[in-house]
Structures are given as C-alpha cells and as structure tokens.
Amino acid sequence: MAVVTASSVGLSPQQLREQLKAGRLREIFPGVYWSGPKQPLFRTRCQAALLWAGPDAVLSGTSAAILHNLDGEWSTQVISLTLPPGQFGEHPEVKVHRTQLVPAAMTQVEGMRCTTVERTVVDLAATTDEENLAIAFESAWRRDPLFTETMRGWLPLREGARGTGRLQAALKDTDRRRRPLRSALEVKLWRFLREHRFPVPEPDYTVFDNQGAMVIDFAYPRRGLALEADGYTAHGGRKEVFDHDARRRSRLAALGYVHLSVTHDQLKNGRAELKLRLRTAFKRHPASRARPLYEEVVDPRVDPDE
C-alpha cells in the first residue's frame, strides 16, 4: 500500500471526507493518507513525512541511519528530517533539523531522499551518545574501506560544529586498528577494554593449526588469552554451531590459548564482575614470549612414543 495525497488520487474534499469516515483512508500527516489495513510501518511513515514536508525535505539523522542499515539503537517513533532554513515543518512525530544541504550530502535510498552515509554519521555525532556513534561508525567502515579517509575530509568543514569532538575521537580510535570491528558487540567490548585501561589487544588476530585458520576477536598473544564477543544470534541454539564452537575452543586450547567469552548481558548488567574476571585473567597470564601464528596440532590417533 502506498501513501497518497488527495490530489494525487483525484479525490474531491467531499470524497476525501467519505473515504476517511469509511476507514478506507487514514491520515498519517496533514494532507497525507494511508490506505493500508494496519498502522503504517516505519518506511511508510518516512515516505509520508517526505510528502508532507515537501520536495526539499531529506530524511536524516536516526531515520537515515535505519535506512542505511547502520548498526546502533535507533528509535522509529519520530522521523528525522532536514529542511532548508525558513521552510515550514512542525509535527509532534517529526524532528526537523534546519540547514541547507549540498547535493553531495544527499542520495536516494529505497526511492526516498536521504542523507548519504557520511553526512548521516556527521549528524549522528551531534545527536547520539558516543557508544552508539562508534557502533554506527564501525558499521559504515565495514561497508566502505575508505570511509575513515572520507570522514577526515569532513572534519575541516565541521570545525566548531556540535559533535565534531566525537567524530575526532572516533577517528582517533580507528588509528589503533587496521580494520573495522565486526559487530556492535565487538565495539562495546573494545570500548569496555579501553575505558578500564586494559592492555590494547590485537583485534581480528588470525592463528593457524593444521586444520586451518581461526580469527580471534581480541587476542593477547603474549599472554595466551583469546577474548571473544559472544552474541546469541551467532549461535541461535543450533547443534552444528554449538559443535563448531566447541571444536574451535579446543583447537585454541591446543595452541595454548585460554578462551574468554563476553556477552551482551555481561557488558550491560555485569560490568563489575566482568572487570574483576578479566583482571584476574591478566594477573594469572602475564605477558611472556610471543606465540607463533602456526603450531602443529598432534594427531590424537598417533602415539608420540612409538
């Protein structure tokens, strides 16, 4: 079902009143209607907001983040729009930001006018918290290896603007790594380690045995610690995933690594306990010689004494 205006479907004022009274149309925004049987979903409301606000309106901020599929916690209750200064646009379900966007800052997503990923992240820097921004930033970087360099080009243009400090902090954090973190949970764990001043780990550290390669989320090779962000959706209760993870932990153990799992719940509700557990692990596993990237795993079918 599409959103419509009375003029777009050729309804007279009287016909419009009849359609609304009969429940065949429902007003979403002033002058914009929906003919679906249920409440319109987020993308439909975005289309309606653009029709209501006019041809210069652009979806931005959290709404653009959702359309670009950027990781983060974004509300769908309010539609975020950018309008040129002085143009009308007030509605309780719409948050309006007024500025004149250059064409390079706009794109089309699912047929809707929207800020680009880069401009969206710039807007988020002024409106969301640092962790949510970091999660969105890493998500954009995973999609585009040149994203960080593009964002460095934005900084001189944003000097003194709200959120510039957060963008600078996000870029500075990327200098510690050669590649983006792979999930929102990894971002939260990385920030937890940095916040509590744990030693800087090796992200996405690859080790090998005679069965192949394994990538450790955050490795401390000199301590023999493998720290992994364990999201529930990655497991899903499937037996084959459970068996794969069990074999993987055994392979890491054979290479001399102690495997430590960190979950969403631990980072949300058990931070003090997690901090203590990691402190204990670091104390019991002091830095020593570097472990090689490859070690031969002995075939259990072969007796080493023969």
Side-chain angles (χ1 to χ4, degrees):
M1 296 289 182
V3 292
V4 298
T5 62
S7 59
S8 70
V9 291
L11 293 177
S12 67
Q14 176 62 30
Q15 290 171 323
L16 177 60
R17 285 193 294 271
E18 291 174 355
Q19 293 287 323
L20 289 171
K21 185 177 180 179
R24 288 189 287 271
L25 284 180
R26 180 183 307 164
E27 189 173 61
I28 307 178
F29 291 103
V32 182
Y33 307 94
W34 163 248
S35 57
K38 300 179 180 179
Q39 288 293 333
L41 299 178
F42 170 73
R43 281 165 169 74
T44 300
R45 292 173 55 237
C46 285
Q47 294 172 348
L50 288 174
L51 270 178
W52 163 73
D56 294 326
V58 181
L59 292 162
S60 59
T62 58
S63 297
I66 294 170
L67 292 180
H68 284 300
N69 294 315
L70 294 180
D71 289 348
E73 296 180 3
W74 316 117
S75 172
T76 60
Q77 298 303 309
V78 175
I79 305 298
S80 296
L81 288 179
T82 292
L83 292 170
Q87 189 165 323
F88 87 98
E90 297 293 338
H91 193 278
E93 295 182 15
V94 178
K95 181 179 181 180
V96 176
H97 176 66
R98 300 187 185 279
T99 190
Q100 189 68 53
L101 292 172
V102 297
M106 295 180 282
T107 188
Q108 291 274 330
V109 178
E110 301 178 23
M112 293 180 279
R113 296 182 301 278
C114 182
T115 51
T116 62
V117 170
E118 293 79 10
R119 175 68 202 209
T120 299
V121 172
V122 167
D123 291 341
L124 292 175
T127 58
T128 193
D129 60 77
E130 289 186 9
E131 183 168 273
N132 225 20
L133 174 63
I135 290 170
F137 194 99
E138 297 290 328
S139 177
W141 188 14
R142 287 196 298 274
R143 187 179 309 176
D144 178 8
L146 299 179
F147 176 75
T148 55
E149 297 309 311
T150 304
M151 295 309 297
R152 292 183 203 281
W154 273 90
L155 282 179
L157 304 176
R158 303 295 298 173
E159 186 174 357
R162 185 182 176 192
T164 303
R166 289 179 178 176
L167 278 180
Q168 290 172 329
L171 281 167
K172 184 178 180 180
D173 188 62
T174 66
D175 292 337
R176 300 186 175 99
R177 294 176 275 110
R178 298 184 297 274
R179 59 180 68 89
L181 301 173
R182 294 180 292 173
S183 69
L185 182 56
E186 283 194 17
V187 175
K188 292 181 179 183
L189 178 50
W190 170 266
R191 288 175 57 82
F192 178 88
L193 296 171
R194 303 300 298 150
E195 176 187 348
H196 295 289
R197 300 190 178 185
F198 284 102
V200 179
E202 293 280 351
D204 286 353
Y205 187 77
T206 304
V207 295
F208 302 86
D209 62 13
N210 56 7
Q211 297 180 52
M214 293 177 286
V215 179
I216 301 171
D217 292 345
F218 299 107
Y220 294 93
R222 295 183 65 85
R223 297 175 182 269
L225 294 177
L227 192 56
E228 306 247 65
D230 246 344
Y232 178 77
T233 54
H235 299 267
R238 302 192 306 274
K239 180 180 183 300
E240 63 273 17
V241 177
F242 175 81
D243 289 341
H244 172 271
D245 290 346
R247 289 194 301 271
R248 185 174 181 277
R249 287 192 294 271
S250 295
R251 290 169 61 193
L252 288 172
L255 293 177
Y257 280 91
V258 173
H259 183 276
L260 300 170
S261 293
V262 179
T263 66
H264 275 287
D265 186 66
Q266 291 168 8
L267 284 168
K268 183 178 181 179
N269 302 314
R271 294 173 71 89
E273 180 184 345
L274 175 61
K275 179 181 176 182
L276 178 61
R277 184 164 68 251
L278 291 180
R279 293 284 186 212
T280 302
F282 276 84
K283 184 177 180 180
R284 293 184 176 179
H285 297 271
S288 60
R289 66 180 179 83
R291 284 167 169 73
L293 290 178
Y294 177 89
E295 288 189 21
E296 186 73 18
V297 175
V298 177
D299 190 332
R301 296 168 296 180
V302 178
D303 187 342
D305 294 329
E306 289 185 356

